[in-house]
Structures are given as C-alpha cells and as structure tokens.
Amino acid sequence: MIVALDGTVLVVAQPSMRRDLGASVAQVQWTSTAYLLTVAAFLVVAGRLGDRYGHSRLAMTGVLGFAAASAGIALAPGVGWVIALRAAQGFFGALLQPATLALLRLAYPPDRLATPVAVRTSAIGVAAAAGPLLGGLLVAHLGWRAVFVVNVPLALAIAALILAVRVPEPERTGAGRPALGSAALLVAAVAALVHALAGVPAYGWTAPPTLLGLGGAAGLGVLLVRWERRGAHPLVPAAVARSMPVMASMALLLTASGALSGALFTATFLLQDVRGLGAYDTALRLLPLTAVMVAGAPLAGFAQRRFGARRIALAGTGLVALGIASLCTEALTGAGGAVLGAGFAAVMVTATGTVVGDAPPGYAGVIGGLKQTATNVGPAFGIALAAGAGAGTEAGAGATPALLALAALAAVGLLPASLLPGRPRGAAAGDLVGEDAGQRGERAPAAHGPADGERR
C-alpha cells in the first residue's frame, strides 16, 4: 500500500519539484524511471532472498530502508540526490513487495487465501486513488518534500505491525545459495527492458536506443535461461518455471496491468491537454474507476471461490478489453470506467490468488517476486504501446488508436486466462483455486512434501 501511495503521490509533486530544484524535464522523468528500474530489476532476487533468510526479515529491512530513503529525498539539496535516492527507494521497495505476498501465503492456507488477497488489492486501489488527492493537498500547502515525509510514519507503523504479527517461516528449500550469475543476469535483463520501454515515448519503437535496449534485454534473457538450466541452485526453481498456473497468471497480469496503465496514460493526456482539466480534477475523474475496483475486489474473491479462477479471469479480462475500448468516447467517465475497474479487480484477485496459492511455501517469495515483476513491467509496456500508437499527440488525435491497441493487448490476456485452473468437480464453495488432487500432486516435486500436505 505504501509503495502504491508513493508512486501516485509523486506524479502530482513532480512539477513543483522541477521548479524548486531547477531541474529539466528529463531529470524529473528520471525520478520515476530510476525507481521503476530498480524495483523491477530486484523483485525476483528479493523474493529468493526472502525464501532463504525469512520474509519477515526482508519485509522489515525493506520498509525501514524505504523510510530512510524517503527521509533523504525530503532533505535532498538537488535533483541528482533525488534520482539516486529514488533508485535506493526502489531497491527497498523490491525487498518489501514479494515479502507481503509470501507472508500471506504462509499465514493462510490456499482455500482461505482469496479474502486476504482481495483485501490487499482493495488497499492498493485505495492508496492509488488517494495518492493524487493527498499529493495535491500536501504540495499546495507544504511543498513537494512533504509527499516524501509522509512515508516515514507510515513505514514505521508497518514495521511495528511486522514485529507484532508472528508468521511461521517455512523450511528452507535447497542448501545452496542462489546463483549470483543468475541474479546479475536477471537484474541486467529486466533493467535493460524497462529502460528501453521507458524511452519509447521520447524515441519511438524504431529508434536506435529502443532497438538496442530491447535487443540487449533479449540477449541477456537467452543467457539467463541457459545459465539457469546449468545451475545446481537456479534463481527460479524448475518447479516454479514449469507450473502452468503460475506462468499463465504472470502473463495475464502483464497484459492486464499494461492495458490499464496505458489507458490511464492516454486518458490523462486527453483530459489535461485536450479538455484542459487540472491534475486535481483529473484525479477526481479517476475516483469512480478506482471505487469500483476497490469494491469489486472482495466480490471477485467470493466469485473465485465459487466458480473457479478460469471463469472469473476470462470474464474480468473481457471486461478490461471492453472497458478500454469504450473509453474512446467516454475518457474515464460513465460506465466505461466502471467496467474497466470491475474487470481489472477480477483479474488481479484471481491471478494473484492463483500465483500465490499454487506456490509451495518454500518458494512463495520467488513467486511473489515474479508476480510483482509482471505488474511492474506490464505498465511500462502499456505506456510504451500507447505512446507508440499516438497517445499524447496534439488535439488528442492519437487517443482512439492508442486505446484500441490497448484493448487488443487486454484481449490477448484471454489466452493465459483460459489456462488457469477451473473449479474441480465436487469442490466446496470455499476452495480458492480450481485444481483437482491429481494436479496438486503432479506439479510439486517430492522434496516439497510438507507443502503438498498442507495444500491437500
């Protein structure tokens, strides 16, 4: 929640920051890009470290580091310091995010996981909606530095909760340490990919910097796969990489989060540059979408337990595509925004529940890291797709092609959604993920006996 709040608050604070520090537009953009690069690059590594050394410990380190970096930004004398500390903030945010999902997996059995996942989704939605409003008030009355000061007491409160709530740690899986070579290759590949996508709005898809970055990311990805196959203790264990529900959920999260972020990027330009609304009024236009998403998350959790992940994910993906297509004429007003919010809530709850519920407890952290990576890379791709299709052009001429392209991206998610588990025959209404007993047993290796026993 604190990470989502920080990201949306910053958007409102950046113009004031630029004026106060005498920064260029490119430097201000890097205050967001530096964070995005580090958080996306280190998520899987952080999850693996949590599996080995304890998720509570990683969560505590992450939240205290996040608070320290936020305090440093509030005192920063120049934009260079802000960029560097935002990168540090992203690193500590990467430690924090997979740990929260892993702790949920340890605290709740799979058949009771839908409700806490829905609550987590609702909390993120509330934070994302409150961010621009809170940021506008803080910047107007106290200045841009106040948006980082507010992180400190929130982080300390979270640290106190981590100390107060004791969650049993699972048995460690594998005696060896994760391969440092795999970690370095993964960090480099994700960083190259996100950096290339972040540059598309400025350079375009066919510019040398973009092509070089995408080619470098692909090459590093190939090297990573070969390195992982040869390693005795891979960063992403084979049991995880071969899990169809986990991989399908990640693909679905990538397409859905990309489509939503690209649609918000397009609609924001349309509302501000074409219709002349201010940042605060634009944030108000987002409230109905966010309200439906927050209210829809618990309903999606209930529906998933009753009908299974596959049906709810297919319905949610279809609603996301339909909602984005309808924004061609509505721009976040009316039923289109509500449809989009409801669909995204359904996708987030079902895909997250499937990813976390399918994880053997010993690998909950790395799976949480993979999930968070998908939801961080997805928005970068969605915004790049929107910008490449013409979003942000004068008079809003490119808004319709961009939104149609994003609706098509959301529709691609129907394929991975169809691969999620269905509701098993004779399952109780409280079951989280529709897996039959054979599926549960076949995917997990013998070394994970305790995890399998917990899930039966």
Side-chain angles (χ1 to χ4, degrees), residues 6-7 10 14 30-36 38 66 69 73 81-91 148 151:
D6 178 82
L10 180 63
Q14 283 176 328
W30 266 100
T31 63
S32 295
T33 303
Y35 176 88
L36 180 62
T38 52
F66 197 90
I73 295 171
W81 283 97
V82 174
I83 294 171
L85 288 168
R86 280 287 288 170
Q89 199 179 39
F91 173 76
F148 294 100
N151 286 337

Side-chain angles (χ1 to χ4, degrees), residues 34-427:
Y35 176 88
L36 180 62
L37 281 173
T38 52
V39 74
F42 285 99
L43 281 165
V44 178
V45 177
R48 197 72 172 99
L49 290 174
D51 287 334
R52 178 168 178 79
Y53 298 109
H55 300 295
S56 295
R57 185 180 302 174
L58 262 290
M60 179 65 71
T61 302
V63 74
L64 292 179
F66 197 90
S70 298
I73 295 171
L75 300 173
V79 70
W81 283 97
V82 174
I83 294 171
L85 288 168
R86 280 287 288 170
Q89 199 179 39
F91 173 76
F92 289 112
L95 297 183
L96 181 61
Q97 292 183 59
T100 60
L101 286 172
L103 290 172
L104 285 181
R105 174 65 181 88
L106 296 173
Y108 296 91
D111 60 339
R112 294 175 52 203
L113 198 54
T115 298
V117 167
V119 171
R120 180 181 183 272
T121 301
S122 296
I124 292 173
V126 170
L133 301 176
L134 177 62
L137 292 173
L138 290 174
V139 171
H141 297 284
L142 299 174
W144 67 268
R145 297 177 189 271
V147 304
F148 294 100
V149 173
V150 76
N151 286 337
V152 177
L154 289 176
L156 294 179
I158 294 172
L161 287 175
I162 295 173
L163 288 175
V165 178
R166 297 292 180 180
V167 178
E169 296 288 348
E171 295 183 6
R172 294 176 183 175
T173 55
R177 296 180 180 180
L180 295 179
S182 294
L185 286 171
L186 177 63
V187 168
V190 175
L193 175 61
V194 174
H195 186 271
L197 293 174
V200 170
Y203 302 115
W205 283 101
T206 58
T210 303
L211 296 177
L212 182 63
L214 294 177
L220 289 168
V222 172
L223 289 176
L224 173 62
V225 171
R226 295 183 63 181
W227 192 289
E228 285 278 274
R229 287 178 175 176
R230 292 184 302 181
H233 301 284
L235 189 66
V236 180
V240 175
R242 295 171 183 169
S243 172
M244 180 62 72
V246 170
M247 293 297 108
S249 295
M250 241 108 50
L252 177 57
L253 287 168
L254 191 148
T255 57
S257 62
L260 175 67
S261 295
L264 294 178
F265 174 84
T266 304
T268 298
F269 269 99
L270 187 61
L271 290 172
Q272 293 192 16
D273 291 355
V274 178
R275 300 191 179 180
L277 297 181
Y280 188 80
D281 289 332
T282 300
L284 291 177
R285 291 291 187 100
L286 295 174
L287 285 180
L289 181 152
T290 308
V292 172
M293 187 171 71
V294 171
L299 296 177
F302 171 79
Q304 181 182 355
R305 291 193 299 270
R306 184 172 182 84
F307 300 108
R310 184 187 304 143
R311 292 181 180 178
I312 304 306
L314 285 170
T317 303
L319 290 176
V320 170
L322 179 62
I324 292 175
S326 70
L327 296 183
C328 292
T329 57
E330 297 184 21
L332 298 179
T333 62
V339 169
L340 176 56
F344 189 73
V347 170
M348 279 293 294
V349 171
T350 53
T352 302
T354 300
V355 167
V356 181
D358 195 72
Y363 294 142
V366 72
I367 287 183
L370 287 169
K371 181 264 175 186
Q372 292 298 133
T373 301
T375 54
N376 277 271
V377 174
F381 178 72
I383 292 173
L385 179 62
T393 56
E394 293 183 4
T400 296
L403 290 170
L404 292 177
L406 293 163
L409 174 63
V412 170
L414 291 170
L415 177 58
S418 68
L419 300 177
L420 295 186
R423 184 167 179 256
R425 295 178 181 177

